[in-house]
Amino acid sequence: MVPVVLLINGFTKGDWGDALLFSITIAVGLTPEMLPVIMTSTLAKGAVLMSKHQVIVKTLGAIQTFGEMDVLCTDKTGTLTEDRIILEKYMNVVGDDDNRTLRHAFLNSYFQTGLKNLLDLAIINRAHENGIEAILNSYTRLDEIPFDFSRRRMSVLLEDQNGKQQLVTKGAVEEMLAICTYAEWNGKILKLDETLLQKVRSVYEQHNRDGLRMIAVAQKNDVAGGELSVDDERDLVLIGFVGFLDPPKESAKAAVTALDSHGVRTVVLTGDSEGVAVKVCSKVGVETSCYLTGKEVESMDDAALSESVERCSIFAKLSPSQKERVVKALQTNGHTVGYMGDGINDAPPLHQADVGISVDTAVDIAKETADIILLKKDLMVLEKGVAAGRRTFGNIVKYIKMAASGNFGNMISVIVASLFLPFLPMLPVQILTQNLLCDFSQMGIPFDNVDLEYLQKPRKWETRSIKSFMAFMGPLSSVFDILCFAVMWWIIKANTPAMAPLFQCGWFVFGTVSQVLVIHMIRSGKVPFVQSMAAKPLLLSTTIVALAAVLVGFSALASGLDMAPLPLGFLPWLLLLLAGYCLSTQFFKAIYIRRFGEWL
């Protein structure tokens, strides 16, 4: 439209130099140069607000993504649970308490040289409490096979004082049963046939349903050689199980409910068994009617998984790559996904998610990958983060829609004025001054309030919404600009080239004050100043700019901008035009909301 303004003014006014300068000034005035300032200030304000809730924002853009998030994937341990792993049971395969099972689990946890997780520490602590750490003097570690997420177990090769070698293995129950050929049943080593396997499984499943995280312990004597390989992990004798308890957090249910009320669905992705996951999730309000295991996820193609993630909210016994795949499937379905985790196995899904969330006690790779770090491991903090993100997003959208509709209307007004006026409707210095004043008036937008209704559901960038808003509201401002032209031309009699400074002053004042007022009209779908009040910084910035524009227009200061001071007789017309503009905007706002469903 700028070249159109150049051609119209060049041909109608005959001064191509002035027309070129005027067109360039219009282009500068229409550029939303405040957008980087508004966005950065709004995001920074959101980061400061979240810091008060013990949240560190590493990536400013993540705040906005928080507002868009409609699915939160989270690990179970430490987020839904207390992260206090307690060794609750140590039993033989019959289900009776058995110190021998604890001893073997202790040897495995103590002698493994990798990072000792919370399960290992719980076993070691219980061994110290029971006074069995003295057995360490009888063993020497020869070799080990560290834990990995495909095998889901770890093994150590020990040698006692008599030179006898023993392989001790512990790990996830299903993976352990797959490598055990025998089981120690009532003091006898029996072949783990189908009948005995069913009995063993029933013991495991009973405790698993009660919410215990079960780990199987097995051993094998006289392993050949001093170096271990995965091939050595076979034909083991199942000794028993150790069961851990990690109680749900008291705040978890309230947090899940609060997130759900904000349109955020909670999906649990855990490496634990499905029994434990379902038990915990049922206590905190996560839907438990459908769940899948990692083995089932692995067997699905992408289409089947995309369908399943919409139905199931619990995914158990997942490897890191499977967690990442579930997150990706949700994103493919159009969801904005957040992921919360703190372990090494959480790094892939943290990287895949739209917003990665970790805690300050997490492993380094999780903290490096995450966009947001929580100093308090609590889902309620995320609910506050979602609200802050949507508030931030709302204030950015306010500016964009305001700028798009206002600039579109201004261009129509400039073209109309260029066609029918024998002089420029405003000089370049006046346009740039008006633009600067309007920029100052918008400085309070990052600190503005957002209606509570706006925070109730996820918000996403939608170009179609901006276009429809611009097309709907832009021409309305042009109508009142043209009415202002009519008042200046026929009532104030500024209708000759000699009276151009007076005409330009009238449009300068009306244009500035109307753009300031429309901030309050557009910032909320409610009635401004009555149902929805702007924040104090925005009230202050808009009031100062409106008063400054009126002061300049009705005083000798106007001459500093090559304008003529307005007569007091223009003031009633100015107030009438502004009142009509505000009422019309409110009327068309109601029509827009009925047609498109929402305002911003």
Side-chain angles (χ1 to χ4, degrees):
M1 297 176 79
V2 172
V4 174
V5 173
L6 170 64
L7 294 173
I8 291 174
N9 282 281
F11 283 114
T12 59
K13 313 299 186 294
D15 190 333
W16 287 92
D18 282 352
L20 178 62
L21 185 59
F22 178 70
S23 301
I24 293 173
T25 307
I26 288 291
V28 173
L30 294 177
T31 303
E33 66 275 0
M34 281 293 290
L35 181 58
V37 178
I38 294 292
M39 286 194 68
T40 306
S41 300
T42 306
L43 293 171
K45 176 69 170 62
V48 171
L49 178 66
M50 292 177 70
S51 71
K52 295 177 181 178
H53 298 294
Q54 296 182 294
V55 179
I56 297 172
V57 179
K58 290 174 56 185
T59 308
L60 277 182
I63 301 175
Q64 172 197 314
T65 311
F66 243 156
E68 298 180 36
M69 182 176 71
D70 61 340
V71 175
L72 173 67
C73 294
T74 177
D75 191 13
K76 176 183 67 66
T77 304
T79 51
L80 300 180
T81 61
E82 292 285 356
D83 204 11
R84 290 188 296 106
I85 302 294
I86 302 168
L87 180 56
E88 187 75 8
K89 292 267 188 182
Y90 41 93
M91 64 192 83
N92 56 30
V93 294
V94 180
D96 299 329
D97 290 348
D98 184 15
N99 275 322
R100 184 165 177 267
T101 302
L102 176 60
R103 285 199 304 271
H104 279 80
F106 172 57
L107 290 172
N108 179 281
S109 295
Y110 182 87
F111 281 108
Q112 65 104 352
T113 59
L115 180 68
K116 288 180 172 53
N117 60 31
L118 294 175
L119 302 181
D120 291 315
L121 296 176
I123 291 171
I124 292 171
N125 289 337
R126 176 54 64 91
H128 285 311
E129 291 173 9
N130 288 16
I132 63 174
E133 67 271 15
I135 63 171
L136 297 175
N137 298 325
S138 303
Y139 291 92
T140 304
R141 184 182 65 85
L142 299 179
D143 200 6
E144 68 180 306
I145 305 177
F147 178 88
D148 64 56
F149 293 102
S150 58
R151 291 166 42 252
R152 295 170 60 82
R153 59 182 180 266
M154 62 163 300
S155 300
V156 293
L157 180 62
L158 306 177
E159 185 178 72
D160 64 14
Q161 293 173 328
N162 300 319
K164 176 185 174 183
Q165 294 183 2
Q166 183 181 31
L167 178 69
V168 182
T169 305
K170 76 174 191 304
V173 174
E174 292 298 333
E175 284 73 5
M176 290 292 293
L177 291 177
I179 60 171
C180 289
T181 307
Y182 307 95
E184 191 172 306
W185 186 270
N186 290 327
K188 298 180 180 179
I189 306 298
L190 303 179
K191 188 172 182 60
L192 194 59
D193 56 19
E194 191 61 34
T195 301
L196 184 56
L197 183 60
Q198 289 299 323
K199 293 180 181 179
V200 170
R201 283 186 189 277
S202 66
V203 172
Y204 154 64
E205 289 169 358
Q206 175 188 342
H207 291 87
N208 190 48
R209 284 193 299 269
D210 290 338
L212 288 181
R213 182 176 180 180
M214 301 291 283
I215 299 294
V217 182
Q219 63 92 29
K220 183 168 70 170
N221 294 328
D222 300 321
V223 179
E227 293 185 2
L228 283 179
S229 70
V230 175
D231 290 337
D232 292 314
E233 293 179 325
R234 60 182 179 180
D235 298 330
L236 272 70
V237 179
L238 182 65
I239 299 174
F241 306 102
V242 286
F244 303 87
L245 184 65
D246 187 8
K249 283 183 178 178
E250 292 183 5
S251 63
K253 186 170 184 177
V256 170
T257 303
L259 286 169
D260 185 65
S261 69
H262 282 78
V264 180
R265 171 186 165 215
T266 302
V267 176
V268 176
L269 310 182
T270 179
D272 287 353
S273 66
E274 60 270 32
V276 175
V278 169
K279 186 75 173 181
V280 172
C281 290
S282 66
K283 292 182 178 180
V284 300
V286 176
E287 178 61 44
T288 60
S289 59
C290 175
Y291 59 86
L292 293 173
T293 65
K295 187 178 293 185
E296 292 168 325
V297 168
E298 193 68 31
S299 65
M300 290 180 176
D301 59 20
D302 291 341
L305 182 59
S306 293
E307 181 184 347
S308 297
V309 295
E310 298 299 325
R311 295 182 291 103
C312 297
S313 295
I314 301 175
F315 294 83
K317 300 185 75 173
L318 296 181
S319 67
S321 61
Q322 289 167 346
K323 289 184 177 182
E324 180 184 22
R325 190 172 170 224
V326 171
V327 171
K328 192 171 183 179
L330 286 163
Q331 291 172 320
T332 303
N333 289 353
H335 296 289
T336 301
V337 184
Y339 184 87
M340 183 173 179
D342 61 355
I344 296 174
N345 58 328
D346 293 314
L350 278 170
H351 183 267
Q352 177 64 41
D354 297 291
V355 55
I357 308 155
S358 193
V359 293
D360 64 332
T361 55
V363 298
D364 289 343
I365 190 171
K367 288 189 287 187
E368 286 296 322
T369 307
D371 304 298
I372 291 173
I373 305 293
L374 307 184
L375 301 182
K376 184 180 180 183
K377 204 170 185 180
D378 189 350
L379 281 177
M380 284 303 291
V381 176
L382 294 186
E383 187 265 340
K384 295 181 176 66
V386 167
R390 292 179 187 173
R391 190 178 297 111
T392 299
F393 183 78
N395 284 333
I396 292 173
V397 170
K398 284 178 193 176
Y399 173 78
I400 291 175
K401 289 191 172 182
M402 200 179 301
S405 60
N407 290 349
F408 182 53
N410 285 341
M411 285 304 304
I412 296 174
S413 302
V414 167
I415 289 176
V416 171
S418 300
L419 283 170
F420 294 102
L421 294 179
F423 47 80
L424 293 176
M426 232 190 288
L427 298 179
V429 66
Q430 297 158 6
I431 293 173
L432 294 178
T433 303
Q434 184 186 70
N435 189 49
L436 185 62
L437 286 172
C438 291
D439 285 347
F440 277 124
S441 72
Q442 296 161 355
M443 289 294 286
I445 290 178
F447 308 95
D448 192 23
N449 304 320
V450 175
D451 295 336
L452 290 177
E453 293 82 357
Y454 188 84
L455 306 178
Q456 296 308 307
K457 66 178 184 178
R459 303 289 172 174
K460 294 187 178 183
W461 287 113
E462 205 174 325
T463 308
R464 184 185 306 171
S465 171
I466 296 172
K467 288 179 179 178
S468 62
F469 191 94
M470 179 183 72
F472 204 85
M473 301 303 296
L476 180 62
S477 66
S478 299
V479 170
F480 282 88
D481 280 337
I482 294 169
L483 289 175
C484 178
F485 297 161
V487 169
M488 295 304 299
W489 186 269
W490 280 297
I491 297 175
I492 307 300
K493 304 299 182 181
N495 49 19
T496 64
M499 298 295 287
L502 183 60
F503 185 99
Q504 292 160 351
C505 189
W507 194 32
F508 173 86
V509 173
F510 173 75
T512 305
V513 178
S514 64
Q515 286 191 55
V516 168
L517 275 178
V518 86
I519 293 175
H520 293 278
M521 303 303 299
I522 286 179
R523 59 167 293 276
S524 169
K526 299 180 179 180
V527 179
F529 308 112
V530 178
Q531 296 176 327
S532 179
M533 182 64 72
K536 289 181 180 178
L538 185 58
L539 280 171
L540 183 63
S541 64
T542 52
T543 302
I544 290 174
V545 169
L547 291 175
V550 172
L551 178 63
V552 169
F554 286 89
S555 71
L557 294 172
S559 60
L561 295 174
D562 296 329
M563 300 186 301
L566 290 165
L568 289 177
F570 178 66
L571 188 57
W573 290 102
L574 174 64
L575 295 175
L576 183 62
L577 287 169
L578 292 173
Y581 185 33
C582 290
L583 291 173
S584 299
T585 302
Q586 190 63 33
F587 175 74
F588 278 94
K589 184 195 295 186
I591 296 175
Y592 182 93
I593 292 173
R594 282 200 299 270
R595 181 173 177 181
F596 296 101
E598 59 185 7
W599 182 237
L600 292 178

